[in-house]
DNA sequence: CTGAAAGCGCTAACAC
DNA sequence: GTGTTAGCGCTTTCAG
């Protein structure tokens, strides 16, 4: 009834316990013939190695942890794709992925979990520009890799969205449509100040690209709610009536902007173009019109993050892996040519 | 450098190894004084028990698996909340949660994973009315619990949305607003035939409740895309011009219906009321107008599922836990009084 | 109330 | 090429 052990396999195949182990792991050459006998015995018994025993003896559990912030700006479809991608990648490499939801400053808790020696390594998601978790992991020298990256990541492995490239693509696309008055809609100022990478990097790039294109770099922070988005729309078109396009990285606020526009009789994209950066297809297809967006490679990031980590765990030569993936431009209905300045747009009181 | 062991704690506290174990687990009375000495020694060394060793010796890993379908109808915010809830609950009980994404028929793979003896139990999500995974788990008698439930769940533990109650609430709310011509928008026919619980239960309840209220129970299957939703809108208002309200359980199609309505000049809720069952707040707030919806208790379900399972693992008396949680009605902007039949609505060609 | 010792099922020396 | 054996760090009898 209870699971067959390696000892039982060994007896059935008439070999020593260790030979079974060697055959199983390929740790030592085993003659073709005995290998076959062992295989057969395993099959007969339906043997599966005991993960705990293996881990204890080898000091390698083949379990990795995914560390994610407990209550971030509100997780959405993008994050789930990421998690799923990571879990799949782990499975493909015969690892297990455990979930460690954790408040971002709960470093003590993190340390305790690590000390349990359950996991071989940690994949940290939503890394901040300054991030205590990273400091800790570095300090206790646990293998880890990151999605996102702190300010100085020169000696660390990571996979991240290429915010610079992606923001550049967004602006360039709008400029190509003739827009000269583009604003950038960011996350909240708090997120920015907390060193949330996307908020900081995209903003900086926007400023730079806009300037290079000869535009005024106007931007706004915005709460992560539809209501906040509506309010920002009203404020913006009042303060900058010449505005014809927006680049947004704040999904929920983006929806608010579109609602605000609709409520004031502005038509998208005729009166205003909107391009949403790093917004999932799921959400982009949900608005009316559907959002032109730069779709994040969530699942790829998950895979990459896990594979980078496993690479570190298995290679002797643990070389750095630093990958920046761009978002993919998907043109939907929310962007169009810059409106004719002669044609008046509905007044926003 | 390497993690302190129980042996080291024992030496430092001048007690036997086993006494440390007993003190740690409370498995046997230990005098106040020695307990204190041991505590101190642990603190001094920063001791954390080795999870693998503990698991191997006790045959209880304190790891549970979350089994979820690899490519379901498209996971969204709701599912992530659920997963997060489950992970949190596990952590609160000092368990670890591993993710096993798996094709729903890959029962062999499931069995292999279980045989590794890594996990103490399994939480299955998205359970179908007939579900091979459940058959397997039953058969090899692994502790498990479910989110959702098969047709005959009389002897199994589960937590599920109360689809009957929820659907009932939706219809009742619309009827209360004066609607007499209500249709039900389901998931795809394939999902229905595959025994996807929500699709089957909500449909059956809708029919019954509608009949009891003296309404014609009209319903439609629909692809899980906005486009499919648009098409169904057109088909429906053509086939049933008297229609004034819809109950939907298909989030993406719901959005399509609203888009279709908008495209044909129908105003929501003036011309048509829409109530979305089991749709997350995140999505509901995204449409214009925001969707009146029955918000699923995702996080609670996650917690409950995990706690039910842990209950089974720890109690001697493993009594059944069967919990049905209703969705919570959140009235937003997509529902209103039934329109005056005298007032014509825009024609849909 | 405490100790000593036998495993849990496996890996990885160390032998031959 | 294969066998023997000493642990991995803990739980849990069995003895006192």
């Amino acid at each position: 009834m209870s699971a067959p052990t390696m000892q039982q396999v060994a007896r059935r195949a008439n070999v020593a316990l260790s030979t079974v182990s060697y055959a199983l792991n390929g740790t030592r050459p085993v003659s073709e013939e005995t290998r076959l006998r062992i295989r057969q015995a395993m099959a007969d018994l339906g043997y599966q190695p005991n993960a705990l025993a293996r881990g204890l003896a080898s000091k390698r559990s083949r379990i990795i942890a995914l560390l994610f912030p407990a209550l971030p700006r509100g997780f959405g479809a993008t994050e789930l794709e990421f998690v799923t991608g990571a879990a799949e990648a782990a499975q493909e490499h015969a690892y297990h992925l455990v979930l460690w939801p954790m408040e971002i400053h709960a470093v003590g808790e993190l340390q305790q979990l690590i000390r349990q020696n359950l996991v071989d390594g940690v994949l940290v998601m939503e890394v901040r520009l300054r991030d205590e978790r990273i400091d800790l992991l570095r300090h206790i020298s646990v293998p880890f890799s990151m999605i996102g990256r702190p300010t100085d990541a020169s000696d660390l492995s990571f996979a991240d969205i290429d915010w610079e490239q992606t923001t550049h693509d967004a602006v360039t696309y709008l400029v190509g449509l003739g827009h000269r008055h583009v604003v950038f809609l960011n996350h909240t100022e708090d997120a920015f100040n907390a060193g949330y990478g996307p908020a900081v990097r995209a903003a900086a790039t926007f400023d730079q690209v806009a300037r290079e294109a000869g535009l005024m770099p106007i931007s706004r922070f915005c709460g992560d709610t539809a209501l906040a988005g509506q309010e920002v729309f009203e404020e913006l078109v009042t303060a900058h009536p010449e505005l014809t396009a927006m680049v947004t990285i704040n999904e929920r606020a983006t929806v608010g902007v579109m609602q605000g526009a609709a409520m004031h009789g502005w038509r998208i994209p005729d009166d205003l173009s909107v391009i949403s950066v790093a917004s999932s297809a799921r959400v982009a297809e949900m608005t009316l019109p559907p959002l032109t967006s730069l779709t994040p490679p969530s699942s790829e990031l998950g895979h990459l993050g896990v594979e980078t980590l496993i690479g570190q765990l298995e290679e002797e030569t643990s070389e750095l892996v630093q990958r920046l993936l761009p978002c993919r431009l998907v043109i939907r209905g929310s962007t169009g040519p810059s409106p004719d300045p002669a044609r008046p747009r509905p007044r926003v009181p």
Side-chain angles (χ1 to χ4, degrees), chain A:
Chain A
M1 194 65 242
S2 90
T5 74
M6 199 171 250
Q7 185 58 258
Q8 299 177 37
V9 174
R11 275 203 270 273
R12 190 170 231 274
N14 270 308
V15 292
L17 166 60
S18 58
T19 303
V20 178
S21 171
Y22 291 122
L24 190 64
N25 302 309
T27 326
R28 191 168 85 171
V30 170
S31 80
E32 188 57 22
E33 196 216 314
T34 39
R35 194 207 322 288
L36 249 47
R37 277 214 319 284
I38 290 172
R39 254 197 215 317
Q40 185 59 51
M42 284 182 176
D44 293 348
L45 296 171
Y47 172 79
Q48 281 290 122
N50 179 308
L52 256 29
R54 190 196 275 237
L56 180 59
S58 67
K59 305 195 153 308
R60 312 214 32 255
S61 64
R62 298 191 77 88
I63 301 175
I64 58 187
L66 176 61
L67 190 57
F68 66 97
L71 291 172
R73 288 162 320 303
F75 267 10
T78 304
E79 285 78 6
L80 184 57
E81 273 174 37
F82 170 82
V83 173
T84 306
E88 285 170 0
Q91 214 160 70
E92 284 159 17
H93 294 267
Y95 274 72
H96 293 273
L97 185 73
V98 312
L99 248 38
W100 286 353
M102 201 173 299
E103 206 276 311
I104 197 172
H105 294 116
V107 182
E109 193 182 342
L110 174 55
Q111 188 165 17
Q112 286 197 1
L113 284 172
I114 290 173
R115 283 239 178 96
Q116 295 186 180
N117 261 321
L118 206 237
V119 305
D120 291 341
V122 178
L123 176 58
V124 188
M125 77 186 264
E126 301 255 329
V127 174
R128 298 292 189 272
L129 295 186
R130 282 236 52 245
D131 199 310
E132 305 172 48
R133 301 172 297 176
I134 303 305
D135 299 339
L136 173 67
L137 292 169
R138 268 183 127 122
H139 179 241
I140 59 184
S141 63
V142 175
F144 70 100
S145 73
M146 313 177 285
I147 305 300
R149 60 210 141 106
T151 307
D152 178 20
S154 52
D155 59 338
L156 298 175
S157 287
F158 61 79
D160 196 1
I161 290 178
D162 188 337
W163 293 101
E164 285 77 12
Q165 179 70 50
T166 300
T167 308
H168 181 268
D169 291 349
V171 176
T172 303
Y173 178 66
L174 290 173
V175 168
L177 287 169
H179 293 275
R180 307 294 302 159
H181 300 280
V182 179
V183 333
F184 174 70
L185 186 63
N186 206 335
H187 287 285
T188 62
E189 186 159 13
D190 283 353
F192 183 90
N193 290 333
Y196 180 54
V200 176
R201 290 186 224 277
T205 309
F206 175 80
D207 277 10
Q208 186 194 327
V209 175
R211 253 187 266 275
E212 285 171 11
L215 317 180
M216 271 278 284
I218 303 169
S219 40
R220 290 290 185 276
F221 293 115
C222 184
D224 286 322
T225 66
L227 189 59
Q230 286 177 27
E231 291 169 359
V232 166
F233 167 82
E234 291 166 10
E235 185 270 323
L236 267 173
V237 297
T238 307
H240 299 279
E242 71 283 8
L243 159 71
T244 66
M246 295 183 66
V247 175
T248 69
I249 62 169
N250 181 334
E251 209 166 64
R252 302 172 92 165
T254 304
V255 173
V257 165
M258 297 184 76
Q259 293 175 351
M263 288 162 54
H264 289 286
W266 283 45
R267 307 189 37 143
I268 291 176
D270 303 332
D271 295 317
L272 179 71
S273 284
V274 177
I275 186 167
S276 178
V277 170
S279 149
S280 72
R282 220 181 144 86
V283 168
E285 286 163 2
M286 205 159 262
T287 59
L288 188 64
L291 278 167
T292 294
S293 61
L294 283 138
T295 303
S298 316
S299 179
E300 289 89 330
L301 282 175
H303 272 85
L304 207 51
V306 164
E307 278 155 11
T308 300
L309 178 56
I310 293 180
Q312 271 182 67
L313 296 174
E314 309 206 320
E315 317 283 317
E316 281 310 303
T317 96
S318 93
E319 52 190 295
L320 288 187
V321 179
Q322 306 190 328
R323 290 283 299 277
L324 293 178
L325 305 185
C327 294
R328 192 168 40 81
L329 175 64
V330 180
I331 298 171
R332 297 197 184 82
S334 65
T335 45
S338 180
D340 179 353
R343 178 171 62 75
R345 291 178 291 183
R347 271 192 69 95
V348 174

